[in-house]
Amino acid sequence: MKKIDVCLSPEMVHLHKTEGKVVVVIDILRATSCMTTALANGIASITAVATLDECLALGKEGCLTAAERDGKKVEGFDFGNSPFSYQDPALKGKSIVVTTTNGTQAIVKSAGAKEILVGSFLNFTSIVNYLRSQPNDVLMHCAGWKGKMNLEDTLFAGAVVDALKGDFSHDEDSVLTALNLFYTAKNDMMGFLLNSSHVRRLQGLGIIKDIEFCLTKDVYDVLPIMRDGKLVAQ
Amino acid sequence: MKKIDVCLSPEMVHLHKTEGKVVVVIDILRATSCMTTALANGIASITAVATLDECLALGKEGCLTAAERDGKKVEGFDFGNSPFSYQDPALKGKSIVVTTTNGTQAIVKSAGAKEILVGSFLNFTSIVNYLRSQPNDVLMHCAGWKGKMNLEDTLFAGAVVDALKGDFSHDEDSVLTALNLFYTAKNDMMGFLLNSSHVRRLQGLGIIKDIEFCLTKDVYDVLPIMRDGKLVAQ
């Protein structure tokens, strides 16, 4: 049987083998929710980079730029990290280069995987169906917050493991942790997360609407996948 | 109000400030349960070292030696990692040098803390009472398994945070994770842990009796604390 594992933070991904696996990068609030939204709304490709300098350099070559640090848009870039800013029809066909506090770092650290996807509640069933249909082991790679684990990414990982039971086996305590958190939270994720550090941080930034949207299941059926160093809709 | 935090693995301890804090090192199965048992049974001091070579070197200076790797006693050392081996009255007053797969690494990585304790269910109330009575912030440092988090250490951290509510505040998602796991498991910890990776690993070694003992609350009222590089009973 195929195996599924959960890495709770990029700080621990070196302890998990990524070679030969499909890695699903998860940054629910909000990088991978934004990327899903952008590709579902017709953005042609997304390049994820670790640093602001790399982002600016690619911007000069004609990409739109998006940069977030500490939950806020960085001055001098075209976009921040709100999913709603990617629903503009004028962006259709454009290419974007993105750097965020956690999500893009996790993508960069997933290099070496057989395939890299980005997942969010917004495209939950697309992710689950793809993982079920393909032959490889899976690593759910939570972006966390500045190296530490967070609840919302772990909950999503648990939700995917739960949806795939019967198709995948698992044997790591991080998977049982994600599953148990999901079972505790699943009937009221917003209520559960209102206690979490990152949601409190984002509430302080006045973006509760973003959070509610990012917890909504199956708004889009897009599958964001890395091809030649760029995320595109499969 | 004093703050309490949980570090889920030594691999992440550099993300948590240890300076000025009391750090409680947790390796329930079985290093810190053994250390608690040893000190409660009259062992004078325990030196925790990271490597087998350091352990052998101190052994030549007259200490008894204990070494565990992958759950098993290492050949050529006096003891392995079973708490029952430390209940021998003949050991009273002796000094021991110990190296284990996870627990002693976590102790070594806690250097820099204001105080270092080791905790286990066996001395649960002693740990809780001490943390409540002293003025410093606390970090519960889970030893995990080879860098990854594990359920049993996280459960203990959650149990301590729960017992200290009202005395300590917290704001990290790792603390909420530990608390939620504890609430899920608290009425049947053995049943909960039978699914965990490390318990399955230890069951394979035929030491279910050790596991049951290590999950027993308040067998001892000893407080193991680091003084001049050695763990002693306060």
Side-chain angles (χ1 to χ4, degrees):
Chain A
M1 194 184 272
K2 296 175 288 186
K3 279 179 75 170
I4 191 162
D5 195 5
V6 173
C7 174
L8 294 175
S9 133
E11 206 69 25
M12 304 175 94
V13 74
H14 62 285
L15 302 169
H16 298 262
K17 200 177 149 296
T18 55
E19 291 74 18
K21 289 185 184 171
V22 175
V23 174
V24 182
V25 174
I26 311 159
D27 186 359
I28 298 300
L29 300 175
R30 297 166 283 165
T32 60
S33 297
C34 282
M35 291 168 179
T36 300
T37 303
L39 292 171
N41 282 277
I43 293 280
S45 72
I46 301 168
T47 306
V49 296
T51 67
L52 295 171
D53 283 347
E54 290 169 275
C55 193
L56 280 176
L58 281 170
K60 282 182 189 149
E61 293 176 18
C63 284
L64 291 167
T65 58
E68 167 269 345
R69 288 293 183 270
D70 296 327
K72 284 172 266 189
K73 178 178 180 297
V74 184
E75 205 158 335
F77 293 79
D78 301 316
F79 298 95
N81 204 21
S82 170
F84 296 113
S85 56
Y86 296 96
Q87 294 174 338
D88 181 351
L91 297 176
K92 205 168 170 177
K94 300 272 172 67
S95 288
I96 293 191
V97 54
V98 185
T99 183
T100 69
T101 308
N102 309 289
T104 59
Q105 325 291 327
I107 292 174
V108 170
K109 281 196 171 185
S110 299
K114 187 173 178 69
E115 280 182 342
I116 299 173
L117 310 176
V118 306
S120 68
F121 287 106
L122 301 171
N123 65 340
F124 181 82
T125 299
S126 298
I127 292 289
V128 165
N129 288 343
Y130 181 75
L131 297 179
R132 190 182 283 125
S133 69
Q134 60 77 47
N136 302 291
D137 291 342
V138 168
L139 178 66
M140 305 298 292
H141 185 178
C142 300
W145 179 259
K146 297 188 176 179
K148 296 180 179 177
M149 61 87 67
N150 74 26
L151 288 179
E152 64 272 18
D153 297 345
T154 310
L155 275 187
F156 178 80
V160 171
V161 173
D162 178 60
L164 289 171
K165 62 178 179 250
D167 296 284
F168 284 81
S169 67
H170 56 78
D171 62 7
E172 292 284 347
D173 283 8
S174 53
V175 183
L176 295 170
T177 297
L179 269 175
N180 276 289
L181 281 183
F182 172 66
Y183 294 145
T184 301
K186 67 178 179 176
N187 293 323
D188 179 17
M189 279 203 293
M190 190 72 185
F192 186 79
L193 289 175
L194 282 174
N195 279 319
S196 80
S197 60
H198 194 53
V199 168
R200 275 185 277 116
R201 205 176 289 122
L202 291 178
Q203 276 185 300
L205 301 173
I207 46 182
I208 198 84
K209 212 177 108 196
D210 280 20
I211 301 170
E212 283 168 347
F213 182 69
C214 291
L215 296 180
T216 313
K217 241 177 170 176
D218 292 333
V219 177
Y220 306 119
D221 64 2
V222 70
L223 190 80
I225 191 162
M226 188 77 84
R227 299 278 182 231
D228 301 324
K230 292 176 183 188
L231 284 164
V232 296
Q234 168 141 311
Chain B
M1 194 184 270
K2 296 177 286 186
K3 278 179 75 170
I4 190 162
D5 195 4
V6 174
C7 174
L8 293 175
S9 132
E11 207 69 24
M12 304 174 93
V13 74
H14 62 286
L15 301 168
H16 298 262
K17 200 176 149 297
T18 55
E19 291 73 19
K21 289 185 183 172
V22 175
V23 174
V24 182
V25 174
I26 311 160
D27 186 359
I28 298 299
L29 299 174
R30 295 165 287 167
T32 59
S33 297
C34 282
M35 292 168 178
T36 301
T37 303
L39 292 171
N41 281 277
I43 294 279
S45 73
I46 300 169
T47 307
V49 296
T51 68
L52 295 171
D53 282 347
E54 290 170 274
C55 193
L56 280 175
L58 281 170
K60 281 182 187 146
E61 292 175 19
C63 284
L64 290 168
T65 59
E68 168 270 344
R69 288 293 182 270
D70 295 327
K72 284 172 267 189
K73 177 179 180 296
V74 184
E75 204 157 336
F77 293 79
D78 301 315
F79 298 95
N81 204 22
S82 170
F84 296 113
S85 56
Y86 296 96
Q87 294 175 336
D88 181 350
L91 298 176
K92 205 168 170 176
K94 300 273 171 68
S95 289
I96 293 190
V97 54
V98 185
T99 182
T100 71
T101 308
N102 309 290
T104 58
Q105 323 292 327
I107 292 173
V108 170
K109 281 196 172 187
S110 300
K114 188 173 176 70
E115 281 182 340
I116 300 172
L117 310 177
V118 306
S120 68
F121 287 105
L122 300 170
N123 64 338
F124 181 82
T125 299
S126 298
I127 292 289
V128 165
N129 287 344
Y130 180 75
L131 297 179
R132 190 182 282 124
S133 71
Q134 61 78 44
N136 301 291
D137 290 343
V138 167
L139 178 65
M140 304 298 292
H141 184 178
C142 300
W145 179 259
K146 296 187 178 179
K148 296 180 179 176
M149 61 87 67
N150 74 26
L151 288 178
E152 64 272 18
D153 297 345
T154 309
L155 276 187
F156 177 80
V160 170
V161 173
D162 178 61
L164 288 171
K165 62 179 180 249
D167 297 285
F168 285 81
S169 66
H170 55 78
D171 62 9
E172 293 284 346
D173 283 6
S174 53
V175 183
L176 295 170
T177 297
L179 269 176
N180 276 289
L181 282 183
F182 172 66
Y183 293 145
T184 301
K186 67 178 180 176
N187 293 323
D188 179 17
M189 278 203 291
M190 190 72 185
F192 186 79
L193 289 175
L194 281 175
N195 278 319
S196 80
S197 61
H198 195 53
V199 167
R200 275 184 279 118
R201 204 176 289 122
L202 292 177
Q203 274 185 303
L205 301 173
I207 46 180
I208 198 83
K209 211 177 109 193
D210 279 21
I211 301 169
E212 283 169 346
F213 182 69
C214 291
L215 296 179
T216 312
K217 239 176 171 177
D218 293 331
V219 176
Y220 306 119
D221 64 1
V222 70
L223 189 81
I225 192 162
M226 188 77 83
R227 297 279 183 231
D228 301 325
K230 292 176 184 188
L231 283 164
V232 296
Q234 167 139 310

